[in-house]
Amino acid sequence: MYSLSQLRRGIQNPWLFFREANRLYHSRAYSRPFNTEGIDIFEEDWDNLLILDACRYDMFEKHADLTGRLESRISRSSSTQEFLKANFRDRSLLDTIYVTANPQLYRHRDWVNVQFHEVRHIWQEDGWDDQYQTVLPETTTDYALQAAADHPDKRLIVHYIQPHYPFLTDDGGPFRNDEIFLKPDKVGGWERVMTGDLEVSRSEVWDAYVETLQRTLPAVERLIKGIDGKTVVTSDHGNMVGERARPFPISEWGHPRGIYTEELVKVPWLVIDDERRRIVAEEPVASDDDDVADGLVQERLQNLGYR
């Protein structure tokens, strides 16, 4: 059921109505909690899984120059929150270290209920870049290399925030931070593009998106060269940049959950073969997650474009 405020907002913003209709279509009226046609990442073959947040397959195919065997996969998700639900929820993964620049796992840690050997939340104070209002890819690689050195017998999942917004461009990109960041009491940046309230061309967004990916790839390559084992570079989901959604052909932007167009769920799967490592499961290390203030988590998520 929808609340009165949700219904009122849908009447005032027709594109919201059609987005929700598309979501009902793709989720089969919410009868499936995620894209059940996608892969379970833990049933795939890897020692190290490097996740580029919101990286489309077509963009990666055209612009990534990493050495490896490029394949594609269908993701179970069109958002990070959905990715966590579809792949991590209620699992014991004591043979795995999760190094993440994205605060979503921390935000939903009770609900996701996953147990890793260790989680390193690099979006906290030391890993956060105040100038760019994000975790830079070079920082993510530094933390991942340290985690690999500390735990050579564990699988490694490294979650980069890029090429997800905020874009890393020489001129700050087509958006100023105060225009695009999603605020709890306002319609967010991608929605403002959809409504025309924020005027920007598709080519401007695409170019900034590509530039952010290209800025990230050298850091990813440095990590690949610095770790042992079979490595896969992939994404949690894609992103729409003005393409028509379906079945209602509205121009869609961002990565709304529960909508499974090709742009949103077809992701790269770059395989870098190497001698397999011996992976062991052990009890988790002590965690200080509860020491992070909720206000800081919310601030970080807003800076990264989440509600």
Side-chain angles (χ1 to χ4, degrees):
M1 294 293 293
Y2 301 105
S3 67
L4 183 60
S5 63
Q6 288 174 318
L7 293 172
R8 186 180 297 116
R9 189 176 176 216
I11 293 172
Q12 294 171 344
N13 301 279
W15 59 268
L16 277 179
F17 171 83
F18 288 111
R19 173 184 274 182
E20 184 62 18
N22 284 335
R23 180 178 288 123
L24 286 168
Y25 170 82
H26 286 275
S27 67
R28 299 172 186 164
Y30 291 112
S31 65
R32 54 178 181 168
F34 52 81
N35 180 24
T36 52
E37 297 174 4
I39 64 163
D40 179 343
I41 61 171
F42 293 102
E43 292 183 356
E44 299 287 329
D45 183 26
W46 51 267
D47 293 327
N48 310 297
L49 190 71
L50 314 186
I51 299 170
L52 302 177
D53 203 302
C55 185
R56 295 166 51 134
Y57 174 82
D58 56 352
M59 179 181 290
F60 188 92
E61 180 186 36
K62 184 174 182 179
H63 297 284
D65 56 358
L66 301 174
T67 300
R69 183 176 69 257
L70 181 58
E71 304 171 3
S72 67
R73 294 290 189 274
I74 298 301
S75 175
R76 286 182 164 186
S77 61
S78 58
S79 70
T80 300
Q81 179 180 341
E82 199 173 31
F83 177 82
L84 299 176
K85 175 198 292 185
N87 292 284
F88 291 178
R89 195 173 189 183
D90 295 331
R91 278 185 139 151
S92 178
L93 302 169
L94 297 179
D95 62 352
T96 306
I97 309 296
Y98 183 47
V99 180
T100 180
N102 193 316
Q104 288 284 18
L105 177 62
Y106 185 88
R107 184 189 204 185
H108 301 289
R109 61 195 183 280
D110 293 337
W111 170 74
V112 175
N113 188 35
V114 62
Q115 191 175 38
F116 289 104
H117 180 71
E118 184 179 358
V119 179
R120 299 196 177 186
H121 295 287
I122 57 178
W123 48 269
Q124 297 176 16
E125 297 292 351
D126 292 342
W128 187 257
D129 187 280
D130 289 325
Q131 177 183 352
Y132 288 95
Q133 294 291 287
T134 188
V135 178
L136 296 177
E138 298 83 3
T139 303
T140 302
T141 290
D142 291 341
Y143 274 75
L145 287 170
Q146 185 60 58
D150 292 344
H151 301 285
D153 57 352
K154 299 291 183 290
R155 289 193 299 183
L156 187 67
I157 300 177
V158 181
H159 195 147
Y160 290 83
I161 199 66
Q162 290 78 27
H164 190 286
Y165 184 85
F167 298 130
L168 302 178
T169 63
D170 291 339
D171 62 357
F175 308 119
R176 293 192 301 275
N177 289 351
D178 59 346
E179 289 180 328
I180 193 66
F181 284 170
L182 300 176
K183 305 297 182 183
D185 58 344
K186 296 181 180 179
V187 175
W190 290 122
E191 285 84 353
R192 293 178 65 203
V193 175
M194 290 178 70
T195 61
D197 183 48
L198 181 58
E199 294 185 5
V200 62
S201 70
R202 182 184 188 277
S203 62
E204 285 180 299
V205 177
W206 185 263
D207 289 348
Y209 198 176
V210 169
E211 189 172 345
T212 302
L213 175 62
Q214 292 173 329
R215 160 73 184 272
T216 303
L217 292 173
V220 175
E221 184 176 31
R222 178 163 64 93
L223 177 56
I224 293 169
K225 292 179 177 179
I227 54 179
D228 297 323
K230 184 176 183 178
T231 298
V232 168
V233 182
T234 187
S235 181
D236 50 352
H237 56 79
N239 201 84
M240 295 191 75
V241 187
E243 296 88 359
R244 295 291 178 181
R246 63 180 177 85
F248 295 97
I250 60 170
S251 180
E252 185 63 86
W253 297 79
H255 50 91
R257 63 176 177 80
I259 296 177
Y260 307 130
T261 61
E262 180 173 304
E263 294 87 355
L264 288 172
V265 300
K266 185 177 181 180
V267 295
W269 193 265
L270 181 73
V271 180
I272 301 99
D273 288 310
D274 194 7
E275 184 176 347
R276 301 304 305 271
R277 294 185 291 121
R278 178 176 176 269
I279 304 297
V280 299
E282 297 174 340
E283 289 303 306
V285 301
S287 171
D288 60 355
D289 284 354
D290 292 336
D291 293 336
V292 182
D294 289 340
L296 177 63
V297 179
Q298 183 63 26
E299 178 184 339
R300 294 288 190 259
L301 288 166
Q302 289 178 18
N303 290 341
L304 297 172
Y306 295 102
R307 289 189 183 281

